Amino acid sequence: MMVIVNALLPVLMVIAAGTVVARLGIITGDQWRGLEKIAYFVLFPAIIIHTVAKTDFSTLPAFAMAATLLGSILITATIALILRPVLERKFKVDGPRFTSVFQGAIRWNTFIGLALADEIMGPQGVALLAVAIVAMIPVLNITCVIVLSRYAHGSSPSPVKIAGDLIRNPFIWSTALGLFLNLTGLPLPEFAMTTLKILGSAALPIGIVCVGAGLNLAALRRPGPALASSAILKLAVMPLVAFTLSSLAGLQDAAYLVVMIAMSVPAASGSYLLARQMGGDASLMAEILTFETLLAGITMPIVLLIAT
């Protein structure tokens, strides 16, 4: 238990530091947006390319992990879609609000996941989380774009635009590039790998600070069924599904723990940007992200304690 707490507390403290810096106005809105873009488009692609390119997937239970992760996502997404008519009828959750519930229920915060995996298991944890990145990110992005296209009031994008958005997504293209280097064995010059490593080392602290800065505590004054249902699906149902599927797949030790980390982190801050771009309920999305990030400080130690 102390290992988990000692690993989780530094991440929560860095999140809190981001919140304090934002509230004190040391860094302002536009400056935060710049930091977010650097982390999103430069630093995290660097750590993903470096990690995926160097990971020997043949020594990892990649298939069992991928099957467990994707199964957990698809089952939780199906439950959310089944609940949609109930949420609409009982609680007046319309299409745009449902898209935020859906994103909050299935997306994962890669920043927090990587930080925890690195803190608990070091390079082995980061390598195993690379499997989660490869397996989950394309499916999550495609699924959320389709749901937003179907239920949001914004204009539904064409297949060409959806494909373009996915190709431009830095997590997708960096994962693809890392896999290409890994599978082809094409060596990068040593200076290039060192550059990626240096850039990647800045990704986790900056990304986690930005998570804290993005918390909107005032949004929690009006919690409602939509927020609660999204948080329950993400922080309780999805870890439970992952726990069950991991047992069926025979996952053990570090691989099992990484799956539980990936399935128990709160939703990704990129959900807010996607909600704004595609006509979802961005305000509700901000509430969900804030509530889940705070609540995860309680639920994640419980989930990881059970997992260990």
Side-chain angles (χ1 to χ4, degrees), residues 127-185:
L128 285 164
L129 204 73
V131 176
I133 290 170
V134 171
M136 294 168 64
I137 286 177
V139 172
L140 283 171
N141 280 275
I142 291 170
T143 303
C144 289
V145 166
I146 290 173
V147 168
L148 276 154
S149 299
R150 170 65 179 82
Y151 294 108
H153 291 166
S155 59
S156 297
S158 66
V160 173
K161 186 178 187 306
I162 292 175
D165 288 342
L166 293 173
I167 290 171
R168 288 190 294 271
N169 184 297
F171 287 99
I172 290 180
W173 63 252
S174 59
T175 300
L177 180 55
L179 277 175
F180 173 78
L181 295 172
N182 187 300
L183 296 175
T184 61

Side-chain angles (χ1 to χ4, degrees), residues 4-306:
I4 294 170
V5 170
N6 287 334
L8 186 59
L9 274 179
V11 177
L12 296 176
M13 293 298 290
V14 175
I15 290 174
T19 303
V20 171
V21 169
R23 297 300 176 269
L24 293 177
I26 297 172
I27 299 178
T28 59
D30 289 341
Q31 293 169 330
W32 281 116
R33 301 296 84 75
L35 279 178
E36 289 173 358
K37 287 183 178 180
I38 289 173
Y40 190 64
F41 289 104
V42 179
L43 304 180
F44 267 87
I47 195 173
I48 290 172
I49 293 170
H50 184 270
T51 301
V52 174
K54 293 187 66 176
T55 299
D56 185 358
F57 290 102
S58 65
T59 64
L60 303 175
F63 179 80
M65 284 185 66
T68 300
L69 292 163
L70 292 178
S72 301
I73 291 170
L74 294 176
I75 290 172
T76 307
T78 300
I79 294 172
L81 289 169
I82 291 172
L83 289 176
R84 188 195 66 80
V86 177
L87 291 172
E88 182 177 27
R89 185 173 62 253
K90 296 284 188 181
F91 303 111
K92 310 302 180 186
V93 177
D94 60 11
R97 288 177 67 79
F98 172 73
T99 63
S100 294
V101 172
F102 185 85
Q103 285 204 89
I106 71 167
R107 297 191 68 150
W108 70 310
N109 195 308
T110 316
F111 295 178
I112 296 177
L114 275 168
L116 278 174
D118 183 51
E119 187 71 25
I120 294 174
M121 289 168 282
Q124 182 192 24
V126 176
L128 285 164
L129 204 73
V131 176
I133 290 170
V134 171
M136 294 168 64
I137 286 177
V139 172
L140 283 171
N141 280 275
I142 291 170
T143 303
C144 289
V145 166
I146 290 173
V147 168
L148 276 154
S149 299
R150 170 65 179 82
Y151 294 108
H153 291 166
S155 59
S156 297
S158 66
V160 173
K161 186 178 187 306
I162 292 175
D165 288 342
L166 293 173
I167 290 171
R168 288 190 294 271
N169 184 297
F171 287 99
I172 290 180
W173 63 252
S174 59
T175 300
L177 180 55
L179 277 175
F180 173 78
L181 295 172
N182 187 300
L183 296 175
T184 61
L186 186 67
L188 282 179
E190 186 62 29
F191 74 86
M193 292 300 287
T194 302
T195 301
L196 290 173
K197 184 177 180 180
I198 292 172
L199 288 171
S201 65
L204 298 180
I206 290 179
I208 296 300
V209 166
C210 288
V211 169
L215 295 183
N216 181 10
L217 300 179
L220 300 182
R221 295 173 183 169
R222 302 175 305 278
L227 184 151
S229 58
S230 186
I232 289 170
L233 286 170
K234 181 68 191 74
L235 300 178
V237 174
M238 183 175 277
L240 179 60
V241 172
F243 177 82
T244 303
L245 295 182
S246 294
S247 300
L248 294 175
L251 287 177
Q252 297 178 343
D253 303 326
Y256 173 49
L257 184 57
V258 165
V259 166
M260 297 309 297
I261 288 173
M263 293 290 93
S264 61
V265 295
S269 55
S271 307
Y272 179 78
L273 297 176
L274 192 60
R276 283 198 304 182
Q277 291 169 2
M278 295 189 62
D281 191 325
S283 297
L284 175 61
M285 194 72 253
E287 292 180 27
I288 290 171
L289 292 174
T290 301
F291 185 63
E292 287 188 3
T293 303
L294 295 175
L295 189 59
I298 299 172
T299 60
M300 286 191 68
I302 296 172
V303 169
L304 297 181
L305 180 61
I306 293 173

